[in-house]
Amino acid sequence: MAVPSSDRARRPFLLSLSLFLFISAALVLLFLFLDPSPGSLAFLPSRVSASAPSAYSPQQQSLTPVPARGSPPHSQPAGPLPTANAEREASQPPAAEEARGGSGSPGADDSSGARGVEADAKAGTSVAAAGSGGDDGELPASVRWQTCSRMGKGVSSTDYIPCLDNLRAIKALRSRRHMEHRERHCPVAPRPRCLVPLPFGYRTPVPWPRSRDMIWYNNVPHPKLVEYKKDQNWVTRSGDYLVFPGGGTQFKDGVGRYIQFIEQIMPAIQWGIHTRTVLDVGCGVASFGGYLLDRNVITMSFAPKDEHEAQIQFALERGIPAFLAVIGTQKLPFPDNAFDVVHCARCRVHWYANGGKPLLELNRVLRPGGYFIWSATPVYRQEKRDQDDWKAMVTLTKSICWRTVVKSEVVNGIGVVIYQKPTSNSCYAERKANEPPLCSKTDGSRFPWYAPLDSCIFATSLSSSDERNSWPVPWPERLNVRYASVPGDSAYNKEAFEADTKYWKQVVSEVYFSDLPLNWSSIRNIMDMNAGFGGFAAALIDQPLWVMNVVPIDQPDTLPVIFNRGLIGAYHDWCESFNTYPRTYDLLHMSNLVASLTTRCDIIEVAAEIDRILRPGKWFVLKDKIEMLKKMRPVLKSLHYETVVVKEQFLVARKSFWRPGKPASRSG
């Protein structure tokens, strides 16, 4: 039968319409599934459950807060906290991704082509007010992030440390005689706001305890130390790994045997009981501190940047406490009388130089009755230069009343001398010559932040009646012993210390371990950015991790209490960069600090420093008032961090592998 001409005319139109509708539907579906924005995927249940906080119920039982009066800012809770039975705010991230060490796919390299630090600072980076801060629909802040580049000759952008790599300030120094070029020279405003790129092939670090002995080469791709120390067993390369055999310049039979040797020649050292906190000067790759962890000893290992290439970066990648510093012209950022033992294994410091100021700095940070262990060639070699150094050391140690406890016989080519600092002032008064002199009240501030080295000796504060009880009780009892008021502030008393300890023990157990989306099995290096009395670190003491307790310079000085507890830490100003390499901490923890911090510096600069220190795939936790969470969350979102607010008091942010010009991901 013939088809009417009108139907034949309609057929092309209907076919065209059908094709148009089909293509339009396909494009819509493609857009929905490829667009990574939260809005385009809001209908997916997995997306909603991963990012949106559940409602907070005021009827839930609260934890006991620290009293507002007499407690450090770190400890003051921002409201009631739910118990462990409360509904979780977000799902726990899978441990499998952390355990397999990431995919190992390439990260950003130095040739990103983005503008450098100075150009970025001039770009007028700004934050736009966005969202309410509490709901998942909140938008990222409008920040024009750029990658650090063109750092200058000898500075890798992947290892950039603003206060130690300020080439303009270093070139302007009049002298480098006392290691001034290795001290802090921070950029002035506008401060750097760029993001440090990843080394090519960066991947999730090897987990502890395996990391003590081996790390990924691509994470710290520095071969010079392997070659330079190839005969001393510091570090070797094996395929994709750097391997640490536990050797060292002075550890001829390995660091484990060396530690045993020290205890044999001086049993009173009592590692992990009488001795808890150690300062290791010129630590190399920190194997001494790494092996002391087996003895319940926590060591602050330090060395200057690049004296031996990336030694501190190696240490932190291994999961061993370490810090970039030098005894040059300024004091170390530690309180007086902090460490039980100071150790130097051939650390190449001329202790008697500059009027003996380097050794006077060790005397300042060493606890009365504490020991200085010196394992160096002047102790046992007979060459003229070594013997001249030894005679100068004998004269200087006698002048500051250090007693020689033991000088060992040469064993396997090395020898050790151990000195003890006096516990009273009687020896100072009995000296024939008042040299170096005792310090007076007019000799300047005792606070060590950017303070010049002393040329005098501060008398011990112990009275003769206190001498028998001057040493802390044995570890681990000293962790929770009550201490007297913090110097200079009578409000910070024993009651505040006890309340702080009780509070953090409870909140860590019932909230941090239960409700926060953190994979604790993948966390080794932690920094508490406003440590207070160290209660957060004390609450984690039974976990296989360590905590760097930072006391900001504008907060009450509680760092002496932290060291008395057998913990370690440092002073710092968070408007400047910290003395560590990029990508060295698994968890950054900040409590009740944003308000005071942002009165002095820009929150963008603080976020850039957090991003620099934090490892990709790891976490930043902010405990604060909801107003402060709302202030910080959009900035972290602009960095492509996954964020969630828990119980209206905790902002948990997970860093991705995103860099400007590179896609965001949760693996390298």
Side-chain angles (χ1 to χ4, degrees), residues 21 56 101 156 183 195 200 272 291 305 348 367 377 396 592 601 626-627 636 642 659:
L21 293 174
Y56 171 71
S156 168
E183 295 181 323
L195 303 182
F200 185 83
Y291 279 74
K305 184 181 181 184
R348 295 166 49 191
R367 186 183 300 280
T377 54
L396 181 57
N592 301 94
C601 51
I626 190 65
E627 294 80 9
L636 297 175
E642 296 179 2
R659 296 290 84 178

Side-chain angles (χ1 to χ4, degrees), residues 240-569:
D240 292 337
Y241 295 95
L242 290 168
V243 179
F244 300 87
T249 309
Q250 298 295 98
F251 310 146
K252 304 297 184 180
D253 292 327
V255 65
R257 292 289 299 274
Y258 175 83
I259 291 170
Q260 291 178 352
F261 173 62
I262 297 297
E263 199 164 36
Q264 288 170 1
I265 63 175
M266 198 187 71
I269 200 81
Q270 290 186 294
W271 298 121
I273 301 173
H274 185 74
T275 298
R276 166 62 182 174
T277 57
V278 172
L279 181 67
D280 190 16
V281 184
C283 61
V285 294
S287 290
F288 180 69
Y291 279 74
L292 277 175
L293 290 167
D294 294 338
R295 305 290 194 98
N296 286 324
V297 175
I298 187 76
T299 303
M300 180 74 82
S301 299
F302 82 90
K305 184 181 181 184
D306 293 337
E307 286 304 296
H308 291 313
E309 185 188 38
Q311 53 190 335
I312 295 299
Q313 193 174 19
F314 283 141
L316 288 161
E317 184 72 15
R318 297 172 69 187
I320 300 171
F323 184 79
L324 284 162
V326 63
I327 302 178
T329 66
Q330 298 176 350
K331 294 181 180 180
L332 297 169
F334 312 125
D336 298 349
N337 308 322
F339 294 95
D340 303 337
V341 165
V342 176
H343 173 260
C344 161
R346 206 169 181 176
C347 53
R348 295 166 49 191
V349 177
H350 298 293
W351 299 112
Y352 51 85
N354 198 15
K357 287 183 179 181
L359 197 69
L360 289 178
E361 177 63 1
L362 292 194
N363 185 72
R364 181 186 72 83
V365 300
L366 184 61
R367 186 183 300 280
Y371 301 104
F372 174 50
I373 303 172
W374 191 36
S375 171
T377 54
V379 178
Y380 55 88
R381 285 187 181 172
Q382 300 303 314
E383 286 82 354
K384 184 179 185 305
R385 180 176 178 178
D386 287 317
Q387 286 305 297
D388 289 345
D389 288 346
W390 172 250
K391 291 176 183 178
M393 191 68 167
V394 168
T395 300
L396 181 57
T397 53
K398 285 184 177 180
S399 72
I400 62 174
C401 295
W402 280 11
R403 180 173 67 93
T404 302
V405 178
V406 60
K407 183 180 180 184
S408 75
E409 298 294 329
V410 177
V411 177
N412 196 18
I414 67 166
V416 175
V417 63
I418 302 177
Y419 301 99
Q420 186 176 29
K421 179 179 176 178
T423 57
S424 72
N425 298 316
S426 57
C427 174
Y428 302 139
E430 294 168 359
R431 294 179 301 169
K432 293 181 180 180
N434 188 31
E435 185 63 36
L438 287 176
C439 300
S440 66
K441 293 182 179 180
T442 61
D443 283 317
S445 171
R446 298 288 296 273
F447 195 68
W449 188 247
Y450 286 123
L453 293 177
D454 294 321
S455 57
C456 55
I457 305 172
F458 279 98
T460 176
S461 59
L462 297 175
S463 64
S464 57
S465 61
D466 292 331
E467 289 177 24
R468 287 187 179 181
N469 301 318
S470 62
W471 198 265
V473 297
W475 180 264
E477 288 81 4
R478 71 189 274 186
L479 180 67
N480 293 313
V481 170
R482 300 178 184 179
Y483 285 93
S485 301
V486 177
D489 196 331
S490 60
Y492 293 85
N493 51 30
K494 295 179 181 179
E495 290 74 21
F497 171 87
E498 187 176 62
D500 179 84
T501 300
K502 181 179 179 181
Y503 172 77
W504 282 108
K505 183 177 181 180
Q506 188 174 6
V507 75
V508 166
S509 173
E510 299 186 8
V511 178
Y512 282 70
F513 286 161
S514 299
D515 291 330
L516 300 192
L518 306 173
N519 183 3
W520 287 97
S521 66
S522 70
I523 294 174
R524 172 62 186 170
N525 302 349
I526 295 181
M527 180 182 290
D528 193 355
M529 301 172 71
N530 185 24
F533 290 122
F536 180 69
L540 295 170
I541 201 65
D542 293 328
Q543 304 300 315
L545 49 81
W546 64 275
V547 180
M548 174 72 81
N549 294 280
V550 178
V551 173
I553 60 167
D554 61 339
Q555 299 296 307
D557 183 9
T558 52
L559 197 54
V561 176
I562 289 172
F563 275 97
N564 278 339
R565 302 186 75 173
L567 305 171
I568 59 172

Side-chain angles (χ1 to χ4, degrees), residues 204-242:
T204 302
V206 175
W208 181 267
R210 208 156 51 94
S211 63
R212 189 189 72 172
D213 302 321
M214 59 193 306
I215 61 176
W216 296 115
Y217 173 79
N218 283 345
N219 286 14
V220 193
H222 299 298
K224 291 183 181 178
L225 193 60
V226 175
E227 179 64 25
Y228 184 67
K229 294 292 183 180
K230 62 183 178 181
D231 298 326
Q232 299 177 16
N233 241 11
W234 279 29
V235 55
T236 61
R237 184 174 180 183
S238 177
D240 292 337
Y241 295 95
L242 290 168

